Amino acid sequence: MVPEKIADVSLENILQIFTLPEKPDSTLAKMEKQISEDRNLFFSEHIISQKKTLNDMEQDFSNSAIPEQPEFISKHAQHLLDALVAHSAYTSSPSFVGHMTSALPYFLMSLSKIMIALNQNLVKIETSKAFTPLERQVLGMLHRLIYSKNETFYSKRMHNSKYSLGAFCSGGTIANITALWVARNNALKAQGNFTGIEKEGLFRAIQYYGYSGLAVLVSERAHYSLKKAADILGIGQEGLVMIKTDSDHRIDCIDLQNKITTLRTKKVKPFAIIGIAGTTETGNIDPLTELAAICRKENCHFHVDAAWGGATLMSNNHRHLLDGIELADSVTIDAHKQLYIPIGVGMVLFKKPDITNSIEYHAQYVLRKGSKDLGTRTLEGSRSGIVMLVYASMHIIGRLGYELLIDQSIEKAEHFASLINQQSDFELLSQPELCLLTYRYIPHRIQKILSMASEKEIIEINALINELTKFIQKRQRDIGKSFVSRTKLNPVKWKRIEIVAFRVVLANPLTTLDILKDILIEQRKIALQDAKLNARIRSLF
Ligand SMILES: *Cc1c(COP(=O)(O)O)cnc(C)c1O
């Protein structure tokens, strides 16, 4: 056996990786060139759609020891291509319409490289310089998109160390946590001989204020990040009170009022109410104006989780869907969703730019009081300069470009919904408000049985249809040509029994109606393959 050539261990070689760029004919440089020239070609050549089980992939990544010996970059690049790229999710494929992670514009790949080369740290000015004012400006842009304050408002506050219009973070989860952190600290702020929750902690705070607990209210369609927030903020998952939704998956304001009353009789303080602007499962939007009025009356912080739907504000044709968002004390928007920025960037924006004083932190060596360091009011410490990509996209795509993207995605969802409605063997489960919709397949003969079934039978039959929906979704994913996701709903139409649904997110601008037609055809075909289930359905009735 010829011994494998291995890289020498020498400081000189290690220093070279800091000083020498990849040669143009190296494996890595060639990979990079191909991906920059034609991403789809590269992916279709290198991402293998055939299924490799998760178990098999785990075997590829089973060694827990850090490699002793340095490896040649070319050899490792090939390994990455074979073991990792080959089995990555093809998120940019126009027929993968099941997730919120879409294709990206090409220019962002080049900019990302520059961003990484610059390696700025936004925690403090010393390591970010121009990036700090840049981030403050972009926060100003998003703030203005939501709250439409006048020119003077922004010129006075955007770069003022006493204020922050919002915060950048790694995603919607951290944005939601930050918003509720601010809300909690303001609800339990210093007063009399109490020096504030941030100093004395939750236990002493609720003792001082005489509460028996704290609560945040949100609809049952809430994103699970809010449960994490409730846990971290010390109110517990049970402190996140879930409110019923109506037939359009929107919060039921009467149930909300009733729950608030019940909490108050138990001396539980509801300190925040959350409206969802684009639920993760169905894309529906809560009645924000109505929620704002309830918050005002109940003296609650009003947070809007617009992680998904916030970008709709870019379209003058559709921003009215989010009417009332301008009344929110805080708003979460994910840039890595409908603003088409790579994962991980989210933002939280605050109506009153001094509200974050309740979470202001200072360290002696950095983040001095009065400094403009962004790290004084962010949950995260070191953060990347990814704001550069948001800034560039705002310029290169522009509001009008985003408007086109938003409009086409909503239009496409409407077309797909009417296409589903035209199929007698598919059932639309949620009418799209944004570019999300849910539906399922029900074979004709089952529909007939359903129409004559008793209540008990309806439950049994739907349980079988749920199995079928799961089967179709899994099989379609495994075939690998297309991907829709699935979720569980409790539609009013089906008397709130649990219904498994296909979930489609039409954010990828390259997805066409023909692709969607093919997805339905494939699903219908797969349904016939479920022999076991088909037999069970026959035997039941
Ligand atoms: C995606 C999403 C989140 C969480 O955002 P991450 O960026 O995944 O942390 C929160 N709320 C809603 C409504 C979302 O769609």
Side-chain angles (χ1 to χ4, degrees):
M1 209 174 86
V2 190
E4 205 184 339
K5 213 177 140 217
I6 50 170
D8 292 336
V9 189
S10 74
L11 185 59
E12 196 185 341
N13 282 357
I14 291 299
L15 289 179
Q16 278 189 4
I17 62 173
F18 289 88
T19 52
L20 291 184
E22 287 298 292
K23 294 212 179 69
D25 60 343
S26 70
T27 312
L28 189 57
K30 278 196 265 183
M31 264 168 74
E32 196 188 338
K33 185 160 179 285
Q34 283 172 28
I35 210 166
S36 324
E37 280 171 0
D38 191 339
R39 188 172 54 202
N40 281 347
L41 182 68
F42 180 85
F43 287 152
S44 56
E45 279 174 358
H46 294 284
I47 296 186
I48 300 169
S49 60
Q50 267 85 25
K51 115 171 192 194
K52 180 165 181 175
T53 64
L54 194 58
N55 200 16
D56 285 342
M57 287 188 267
E58 284 166 358
Q59 296 310 311
D60 287 344
F61 302 106
S62 57
N63 191 352
S64 63
I66 295 171
E68 278 292 307
Q69 196 66 36
E71 241 176 274
F72 288 114
I73 294 176
S74 53
K75 182 171 167 243
H76 187 67
Q78 190 61 47
H79 163 70
L80 289 177
L81 203 55
D82 298 339
L84 194 64
V85 177
H87 304 287
S88 303
Y90 195 171
T91 56
S92 57
S93 163
S95 56
F96 281 37
V97 291
H99 42 57
M100 295 184 148
T101 310
S102 151
L104 300 172
Y106 268 99
F107 70 84
L108 289 176
M109 294 203 292
S110 310
L111 283 178
S112 298
K113 202 169 167 181
I114 296 171
M115 174 195 119
I116 285 171
L118 285 168
N119 199 26
Q120 303 292 289
N121 186 349
L122 279 281
V123 71
K124 55 186 186 333
I125 291 190
E126 287 162 30
T127 50
S128 65
K129 290 174 84 175
F131 274 67
T132 291
L134 179 78
E135 196 163 287
R136 285 180 175 274
Q137 183 196 0
V138 174
L139 287 168
M141 288 176 178
L142 269 300
H143 190 280
R144 189 164 174 168
L145 181 71
I146 299 165
Y147 297 108
S148 315
K149 303 278 185 198
N150 62 25
E151 202 58 56
T152 333
F153 177 91
Y154 294 102
S155 63
K156 275 206 178 133
R157 289 168 184 82
M158 211 149 63
H159 296 290
N160 187 327
S161 67
K162 290 210 287 278
Y163 302 112
S164 63
L165 300 177
F168 262 78
C169 49
S170 65
T173 299
I174 305 292
N176 281 339
I177 292 172
T178 306
L180 292 177
W181 181 25
V182 167
R184 186 199 67 169
N185 286 14
N186 276 315
L188 302 170
K189 59 176 172 255
Q191 176 184 300
N193 60 1
F194 176 63
T195 57
I197 180 173
E198 66 275 23
K199 298 230 168 58
E200 297 193 30
L202 185 63
F203 183 71
R204 293 242 286 270
I206 59 171
Q207 267 188 332
Y208 173 83
Y209 278 94
Y211 303 137
S212 72
L214 299 173
V216 172
L217 297 99
V218 65
S219 97
E220 59 195 354
R221 298 262 76 95
H223 188 269
Y224 59 86
S225 59
L226 296 170
K227 281 199 179 155
K228 297 182 188 171
D231 179 3
I232 289 173
L233 293 173
I235 67 169
Q237 289 183 16
E238 285 171 14
L240 187 72
V241 179
M242 301 282 192
I243 309 298
K244 273 201 321 230
T245 48
D246 64 16
S247 55
D248 288 319
H249 309 276
R250 299 188 191 119
I251 192 165
D252 176 341
C253 288
I254 294 170
D255 189 38
L256 174 65
Q257 273 293 354
N258 291 341
K259 287 264 167 53
I260 293 173
T261 311
T262 315
L263 289 169
R264 292 221 192 269
T265 58
K266 291 195 235 161
K267 293 193 112 183
V268 175
K269 160 83 178 166
F271 71 90
I273 295 172
I274 301 172
I276 312 171
T279 61
T280 312
E281 284 137 315
T282 58
N284 292 107
I285 300 159
D286 283 334
L288 303 178
T289 309
E290 220 172 312
L291 287 180
I294 295 174
C295 286
R296 209 169 325 129
K297 179 167 138 266
E298 299 289 345
N299 192 22
C300 287
H301 180 104
F302 181 29
H303 176 62
V304 172
D305 183 358
W308 174 257
T312 312
L313 296 170
M314 288 286 202
S315 164
N316 287 348
N317 304 315
H318 290 102
R319 67 169 291 147
H320 65 90
L321 293 171
L322 273 63
D323 276 354
I325 196 172
E326 71 285 355
L327 303 168
D329 295 299
S330 56
V331 175
T332 287
I333 295 184
D334 251 340
H336 60 216
K337 288 180 179 163
Q338 290 194 96
L339 290 177
Y340 300 93
I341 309 296
I343 305 285
V345 47
M347 284 165 271
V348 55
L349 289 309
F350 296 104
K351 181 158 86 184
K352 297 199 194 88
D354 55 0
I355 197 173
T356 52
N357 292 349
S358 64
I359 56 159
E360 199 175 354
Y361 277 78
H362 300 285
Q364 282 309 312
Y365 67 109
V366 288
L367 315 180
R368 286 174 202 94
K369 213 173 167 83
S371 89
K372 293 187 175 179
D373 297 337
L374 292 160
T376 55
R377 294 167 200 236
T378 56
L379 179 54
E380 288 163 285
S382 296
R383 283 185 305 106
S384 77
I386 198 161
V387 59
M388 171 179 154
L389 309 192
V390 184
Y391 176 77
S393 298
M394 295 288 170
H395 282 266
I396 293 170
I397 300 175
R399 197 207 44 90
L400 284 170
Y402 276 115
E403 178 169 272
L404 289 174
L405 287 168
I406 293 290
D407 289 359
Q408 65 88 34
S409 68
I410 293 178
E411 227 166 83
K412 210 182 313 175
E414 283 163 1
H415 279 134
F416 191 40
S418 56
L419 184 71
I420 291 168
N421 277 330
Q422 284 159 28
Q423 317 296 311
S424 55
D425 50 354
F426 279 93
E427 178 189 30
L428 187 69
L429 287 164
S430 61
Q431 186 65 39
E433 232 179 316
L434 300 177
C435 64
L436 270 84
L437 57 86
T438 56
Y439 67 100
R440 63 176 178 166
Y441 174 74
I442 314 180
H444 285 131
R445 57 202 162 75
I446 300 192
Q447 285 182 35
K448 227 178 268 154
I449 302 169
L450 262 178
S451 66
M452 297 178 298
S454 68
E455 223 163 282
K456 185 169 157 278
E457 285 167 340
I458 287 178
I459 294 175
E460 282 171 15
I461 300 166
N462 272 301
L464 287 177
I465 305 172
N466 285 350
E467 289 305 308
L468 180 64
T469 311
K470 276 189 218 164
F471 173 83
I472 298 171
Q473 192 268 345
K474 281 190 194 163
R475 180 60 66 88
Q476 194 166 34
R477 181 194 64 197
D478 291 346
I479 294 169
K481 275 203 309 236
S482 51
F483 172 75
V484 304
S485 51
R486 67 168 200 268
T487 188
K488 282 181 191 155
L489 302 170
N490 302 82
V492 171
K493 177 183 167 188
W494 289 107
K495 302 228 167 69
R496 297 198 178 275
I497 59 174
E498 193 168 273
I499 299 289
V500 177
F502 300 127
R503 167 177 170 270
V504 161
V505 186
L506 295 171
N508 190 332
L510 305 176
T511 302
T512 60
L513 213 53
D514 279 337
I515 291 176
L516 297 172
K517 278 181 192 156
D518 287 344
I519 287 177
L520 294 185
I521 292 170
E522 193 182 33
Q523 289 180 328
R524 189 180 279 132
K525 218 164 81 189
I526 294 171
L528 294 173
Q529 297 165 2
D530 195 352
K532 227 170 57 195
L533 196 70
N534 280 311
R536 264 180 73 195
I537 291 166
R538 270 196 301 274
S539 71
L540 254 180
F541 306 97

